[in-house]
Structures are given as structure tokens and as C-alpha cells.
Amino acid sequence: MSGFSFTYAPLEAGHIRLLRLEWSSSVSGVPDHPAPDGSIKATLEHHDLSSPSRPPYTALSYTWGDEKERLNPPQTLNVVAPDASIKTFPILQSNLYFFLRQVRPDPSPADNGAISRCTSHVGYLWVDAICINQNKGGEGEKTAQLKIMSQIYASASRIVIWLGHAMDVYKRVATASGNDQLPEISPTSLSQIVDQVDCACLEAVTRLSYWKRSWIYQEASTPNVPREFWLGGHRLSFEDVHMANSVFHSHMLELGLNAIPSPSPFNVDIAYLHELPRLRQKGEGGLSLLDLMVKTNSLNAGEPSDKAYAMLNIARDIYGLKPGGDDDVFSSDVYLDVACLIMEMTKELDVLLFCSAGQYKGLKSWVPNFYRFVYSVPYAMRGVYDAGGGRLTGEKPRFSLDKNEKTLSVWGIRVDTIVGVYPSMRKPLQWGDYTSNTEFWQPIFGPWMRSLARFIFSQPDGSVDEEAYAGGGTVSEAIDSALAWGMAPGYGTLRRNVGVAHWPLLEQAQACANDEEPKEISVKTRGFQDFLVQASAMAVFRTSNGYVGTGDEKIAVGDVVVVIPGLAVPLVLRPIPSYEAGGSTDGPRWRLVGPCYVTGMMDRQWPWRRGEQKFVII
């Protein structure tokens, strides 16, 4: 950046930079921090992260903020070079600048505040925006530092979680709890602890952009390192904040859902950051990396790959991987690395339930877009299906990975071919990005169902009669099951083998066949909300053997339904001709279109091992 003279010296492998604030001298000779012109003075030193002589330091966990929060013009960091000359560095992030104004240099050179709890004086600091070369041309260093990020935080003497807002209610409630001065839990006790002003302040903390950063889960959940919340002028231990947050939660439970105050004082992120360090310690409860990726899906990152890097650092703790070792999972294709790690460590293929033919085109079809998952009904409901017989037999899917060729080979049973496709009612969106307003959906849903009726009950001679279904029962029952994904009304109950919502498609088709105006199906009918959540963004299809199902909106005629032994949900695969990109003359290749629901195929109905074959998916 023009006007600033600081340039980074290259870092050796395994080294980090540490920032050490210094007092500036004012005109009167009295030490100042920051200087009267707002500038901050510091040294920036290189240290071997693994060296016993490396000084103790404080690691900062904070949010950079968006473009609107950038300082214009930037504030100045005066970096004292080894030759005592001053090199100027731009501080662009307002949130970081306010932290550096709040913190204080050591009162004396011999003191090191990094080892003191809840003090504003610090010795050495590690701050990513300054200690990592973020400039153009520094990408190689940034990647190397991301690989050791979990080590950087794990080696710190303390972690400061900088929120930037002044609040003392956590301290007050934690102190009262520690002194047994809280009221007994009752329907009125919460209002005695926190008033509406307190609740509004607590919600303001909950809404901070800090909680939307993917890196906070890696940084603020580092095991065995003291953590502190800095809220403006208040400095609180993580233990105090968690204690107060737990008090809020326990008292809210007594109130019941209909009486919980709004705004709510409870912060779910603080609760999870209390639990996550224990889970990160290998053998102390376990944690699914895929579940972690799902849970953090709504978080943001400056670069799409950063979210995966942050979660992979946690995975190292979960799986006992050593950074830089033979099992280091980082490469230039981080999403593929994540998918491979999940499959190799779990011996499961559940990650495939997040794949979609409509996802980012730069990915292999068997690698999900980990930055923004499309909400996966199959993944959420996998525990109630058993198409591959795994729940019955305990069998795991058979598969192999070729990381050089970037292919996934699975062994499965090709059970049917898709011969007809009816488009989805709506385009797939992120979870929650649609309205549930019935007036909005009625003019869309009514015509869609009328056309679907003609698709399901299409007969050449014009007559429309109920038919027996290939998988048992009737066609009407089969399509009802497919549109509900086999679930009873009431999303979230996951109840099967009880009545699903019924849609009068047969009556619609019969009215159309008789040139009559069919009675419109109302969105206020019980079951519409379930359909809206579960299947409205999916295509409906028929197979050559008379089965009906729902699946990815990109399903096409000629795709095949495959059951993978050990995988609860069937998959739709697309054959790739040898003359097309990705095809091979050495054997068939396939693309994964996505998971699917087929009425009559969800509970291991197929003769076992019948025609099992190897599918090489690209």
C-alpha cells in the first residue's frame, strides 16, 4: 500500500511472527499508548514455534469485519526495525485497531502480561492480520501458516476473545452464582437476574459478526489454553462467561418455549465453545467432522477454502493427525481432502448425501461444496432408512479412493433406470431462504400438483384409474410417500410406518381427463409445510420398472438408481460415454447426481448381492 514502508521478511518453516507493543514518547516525555496522532508502536519478531526459548504470547481471536468497517484512511503501526529505524504498517481493520488501543504494552521490559489472566497488559501478541503476510505475493506463507494455525493457538499462554462491546452482566451473574446468591429456579427467577436492558445487551453480543466467523471454532475452542472474553473495558474469564450463560439457560428451561423472553439472554455459541475443547481431545467423546461441517455451514470466511482449513485443524485433534506429517491432509484441493478424510476416518459414505449435480462445477461430483451445503433431507433422515441394509447387518460400504485420479469407486447394485422426470416446484435454496407464506405458494403449488397428477397417471387411452404399485400398495400411496420422504406429517418427528399426508392426485388427473376443472389442492392442507421443507426443491421421477421417487432437481432420463450396501439412502448416478470429458475406454465412468427417495427401495427390499458391481465416480 502506497505511503507505508514496512515489508515482510520471509518466514522460515515452522516459525511465526510475534508482535510486541511499545510505549511511544510524547512531546512532554510521558510514555503514551497510542501516540497522540493515533499511531501505535511495536516490534515484530520471528520465533521458532516449537523452540523452548520462544517467549510466551497471547493469541487474539476476533473478526476482521467487512469492507464497511475498514479504516479509511488506515491507522499506522510503527514497526521498530532491528536497526532502530521505523517502518510504517497500515492497520485496516477498525475492530483490530480498537483492540490495540485497549491493550497496554508491558509496564516494564521484564514483565510479560501474556502469562497473566484478565490483565490489559500484554507482552507478545499473535494477530493474524499483522503476523501473517496478507499481501499479494504472500499466498505461500499464508497457506503454510494456515497449516499450523491450531498449533499457534495451542502454544499460546492465553487466548483473548475480543468482542469489542462493554458489558458487565456476565460478571455480575457469574459472581452471584459463585456466591450462591441467585434465586431458586422458578417461572419468575430469570427476570430477577437479568432485566430487559440486560437481555438487549446480551442479544447485541450474540448478534456480533464474531460468531459468524468460521475460524472462531478453531481458535476459541483450543483445548488446555486459558480463554478470556474482552468486552470493551471488561475482561472476563471464559469460565465466568460460561457460568453466567449456563445460569441463563437453566432458568429459561423453567419458563417453557412460550414464555422465553425476547430478546433471549442465552448464547448458544458460548455453550458450544465450552463443549468443543473436550470433544477435540482425542478419545474424550468423539466428534464427526461431517457433523461439524454441517453445524458450521452458516459461518463465513474470507476465502471459501478457509472454512475447510479451520475445520481440518479441529479434525487433526479429533483424529490425532500431525501437521506436516505423512497424514497431513492439506493440498491445493482442500474440499476433496475434506471429503476423503471423512470417508477414510469413518468408513462411511454419508458425505455423498450432500452432493448435488447443481453444485459448483469445479468440484468432482462426489465432493460436496463444503462452503455452502444445500440442506440435505437425506442426511437428516438417514437414521430411519436402510436401503443398503447397514442397520440390519452392521455392514459398511465398500469403496476405494484414488487421489491421483480424483475418483471414488463404490460397490453397489444397479436396481433401475429413470425413464421420466417431472421438474421440482421450486429451485433449491439454502436452508431457510424461502417464505412459508401460504398466499405466496398457492398459485405455484396448485398448478404444479395438477401437472404432477397428469405425469403420474398418464395413460395413452385417456382413462385414469388407480393402479397397483410395483413396490406394493397403490400408485397414489407411492407418490404420497415420495412427496413426504416416507415421513408422517410434522417435520422433525421422523416417524415412519404411520400415515403420510395424502394428496388427491388421482382425482386431479381424472378431472383433467374428463375435461373438468379439478378442485385446487390447498397449501393449507396438513402436510404442505413438510412437503415444502422436504421435497419441493426435488424432481419427481419414474423408473422403467414402475417405481416413483424424488431426488436432485438435475435428475435426467437415463440416470440409474443404485443401492450401496451399507448406505441408508439410494443414489442416482449418470453414465458418462467414453467420448465425453471424463469418460474412459477402460471401463464405464459415472457422475453422482445426488441421493434419492424411491418408494419401495428404502428398506433393503432387493435380493442381496444381486448384480453388485463397481462404479467409478468422477
Side-chain angles (χ1 to χ4, degrees), residues 132-204:
I132 297 178
N133 184 356
Q134 306 286 345
N135 299 327
K136 186 176 181 180
E139 294 84 0
E141 176 187 303
K142 183 177 178 180
T143 299
Q145 291 283 286
L146 290 178
K147 289 184 178 184
I148 62 173
M149 190 74 78
S150 60
Q151 286 179 284
I152 293 173
Y153 279 86
S155 301
S157 297
R158 64 173 174 173
I159 296 170
V160 168
I161 299 170
W162 169 249
L163 300 181
H165 280 245
M167 291 257 305
D168 65 358
V169 61
Y170 285 115
K171 178 79 173 200
R172 175 166 51 81
V173 174
T175 301
S177 178
N179 295 332
D180 293 325
Q181 295 174 341
L182 291 173
E184 294 293 327
I185 295 177
S186 70
T188 61
S189 60
L190 186 61
S191 61
Q192 300 173 47
I193 298 171
V194 288
D195 58 24
Q196 282 299 303
V197 174
D198 289 332
C199 285
C201 291
L202 289 167
E203 187 191 39

Side-chain angles (χ1 to χ4, degrees), residues 287-486:
L287 179 68
S288 163
L289 175 57
L290 182 55
D291 282 337
L292 183 64
M293 297 297 294
V294 174
K295 183 176 181 63
T296 59
N297 182 47
S298 63
L299 300 181
N300 300 317
E303 297 291 337
S305 60
D306 281 359
K307 183 183 295 186
Y309 277 122
M311 297 309 119
L312 278 172
N313 276 323
I314 295 177
R316 282 201 177 109
D317 292 339
I318 299 169
Y319 299 130
L321 306 180
K322 295 180 179 179
D326 294 336
D327 50 9
D328 194 333
V329 296
F330 288 100
S331 75
S332 60
D333 196 342
V334 66
Y335 287 176
L336 184 141
D337 292 335
V338 173
C340 290
L341 180 64
I342 290 171
M343 287 186 275
E344 289 171 340
M345 294 300 175
T346 64
K347 310 303 180 186
E348 303 280 4
L349 293 177
D350 287 347
V351 69
L352 302 184
L353 303 183
F354 283 96
C355 294
S356 166
Q359 67 185 10
Y360 176 57
K361 300 303 181 185
L363 297 172
K364 294 300 180 182
S365 70
W366 53 274
V367 177
N369 179 357
F370 285 107
Y371 185 72
R372 279 291 181 262
F373 278 136
V374 173
Y375 179 76
S376 176
V377 172
Y379 183 73
M381 296 183 176
R382 69 197 184 283
V384 298
Y385 302 126
D386 198 22
R391 284 200 299 155
L392 184 65
T393 65
E395 182 175 9
K396 299 284 188 181
R398 285 203 299 150
F399 65 90
S400 62
L401 294 160
D402 188 327
K403 295 182 181 179
N404 292 326
E405 295 294 326
K406 298 184 178 181
T407 60
L408 168 67
S409 297
V410 300
W411 279 259
I413 304 164
R414 176 175 176 169
V415 294
D416 217 341
T417 302
I418 293 171
V419 295
V421 179
Y422 181 73
S424 62
M425 187 188 79
R426 66 177 180 90
K427 295 297 181 182
L429 301 172
Q430 298 302 316
W431 173 242
D433 286 350
Y434 61 84
T435 178
S436 58
N437 185 284
T438 55
E439 288 72 18
F440 174 84
W441 287 116
Q442 187 63 66
I444 300 173
F445 181 67
W448 186 84
M449 289 293 275
R450 191 177 307 144
S451 298
L452 175 62
R454 293 195 293 269
F455 172 78
I456 295 297
F457 294 100
S458 57
Q459 298 187 12
D461 59 4
S463 62
V464 178
D465 298 308
E466 185 63 272
E467 298 176 343
Y469 181 63
T474 66
V475 171
S476 289
E477 293 169 341
I479 187 61
D480 285 345
S481 181
L483 293 179
W485 266 71

Side-chain angles (χ1 to χ4, degrees), residues 23-353:
W23 295 101
S24 298
S25 296
S26 66
V27 176
S28 64
V30 178
D32 283 318
H33 176 81
D37 63 358
S39 65
I40 293 171
K41 185 179 180 182
T43 59
L44 195 59
E45 304 173 7
H46 292 202
H47 290 277
D48 185 344
L49 182 59
S50 61
S51 172
S53 61
R54 184 258 305 146
Y57 61 92
T58 295
L60 181 66
S61 179
Y62 71 112
T63 179
W64 284 32
D66 56 26
E67 289 293 326
K68 295 182 294 185
E69 298 173 277
R70 288 170 68 92
L71 294 171
N72 188 17
Q75 291 290 336
T76 300
L77 177 67
N78 291 317
V79 180
V80 182
D83 62 0
S85 63
I86 301 294
K87 305 297 182 181
T88 54
F89 180 96
I91 304 176
L92 303 173
Q93 300 82 17
S94 61
N95 196 34
L96 173 58
Y97 179 65
F98 293 142
F99 170 79
L100 293 176
R101 287 178 62 94
Q102 180 75 37
V103 75
R104 289 288 178 265
D106 291 340
S108 67
D111 187 23
N112 193 321
I115 59 176
S116 302
R117 297 295 306 274
C118 296
T119 175
S120 63
H121 289 282
V122 298
Y124 287 94
L125 278 167
W126 188 88
V127 182
D128 57 356
I130 299 173
C131 297
I132 297 178
N133 184 356
Q134 306 286 345
N135 299 327
K136 186 176 181 180
E139 294 84 0
E141 176 187 303
K142 183 177 178 180
T143 299
Q145 291 283 286
L146 290 178
K147 289 184 178 184
I148 62 173
M149 190 74 78
S150 60
Q151 286 179 284
I152 293 173
Y153 279 86
S155 301
S157 297
R158 64 173 174 173
I159 296 170
V160 168
I161 299 170
W162 169 249
L163 300 181
H165 280 245
M167 291 257 305
D168 65 358
V169 61
Y170 285 115
K171 178 79 173 200
R172 175 166 51 81
V173 174
T175 301
S177 178
N179 295 332
D180 293 325
Q181 295 174 341
L182 291 173
E184 294 293 327
I185 295 177
S186 70
T188 61
S189 60
L190 186 61
S191 61
Q192 300 173 47
I193 298 171
V194 288
D195 58 24
Q196 282 299 303
V197 174
D198 289 332
C199 285
C201 291
L202 289 167
E203 187 191 39
V205 172
T206 300
R207 291 179 178 271
L208 292 174
S209 59
Y210 175 82
W211 307 110
K212 299 303 179 184
R213 290 181 61 242
S214 59
W215 283 108
I216 72 164
Y217 279 83
Q218 181 256 301
E219 297 167 357
S221 69
T222 302
N224 304 317
V225 179
R227 295 172 288 172
E228 301 172 12
F229 280 100
W230 283 28
L231 306 125
H234 298 282
R235 291 173 295 280
L236 309 173
S237 71
F238 188 96
E239 292 76 15
D240 281 347
V241 173
H242 169 66
M243 179 185 293
N245 199 52
S246 299
V247 169
F248 303 150
H249 191 230
S250 60
H251 285 252
M252 285 168 59
L253 291 177
E254 173 66 24
L255 294 176
L257 290 176
N258 295 327
I260 290 177
S262 181
S264 166
F266 178 64
N267 186 314
V268 67
D269 295 289
I270 292 173
Y272 193 61
L273 287 176
H274 170 73
E275 179 68 6
L276 192 53
R278 183 185 68 82
L279 297 176
R280 286 180 64 174
Q281 298 182 70
K282 187 173 175 60
E284 293 293 325
L287 179 68
S288 163
L289 175 57
L290 182 55
D291 282 337
L292 183 64
M293 297 297 294
V294 174
K295 183 176 181 63
T296 59
N297 182 47
S298 63
L299 300 181
N300 300 317
E303 297 291 337
S305 60
D306 281 359
K307 183 183 295 186
Y309 277 122
M311 297 309 119
L312 278 172
N313 276 323
I314 295 177
R316 282 201 177 109
D317 292 339
I318 299 169
Y319 299 130
L321 306 180
K322 295 180 179 179
D326 294 336
D327 50 9
D328 194 333
V329 296
F330 288 100
S331 75
S332 60
D333 196 342
V334 66
Y335 287 176
L336 184 141
D337 292 335
V338 173
C340 290
L341 180 64
I342 290 171
M343 287 186 275
E344 289 171 340
M345 294 300 175
T346 64
K347 310 303 180 186
E348 303 280 4
L349 293 177
D350 287 347
V351 69
L352 302 184
L353 303 183

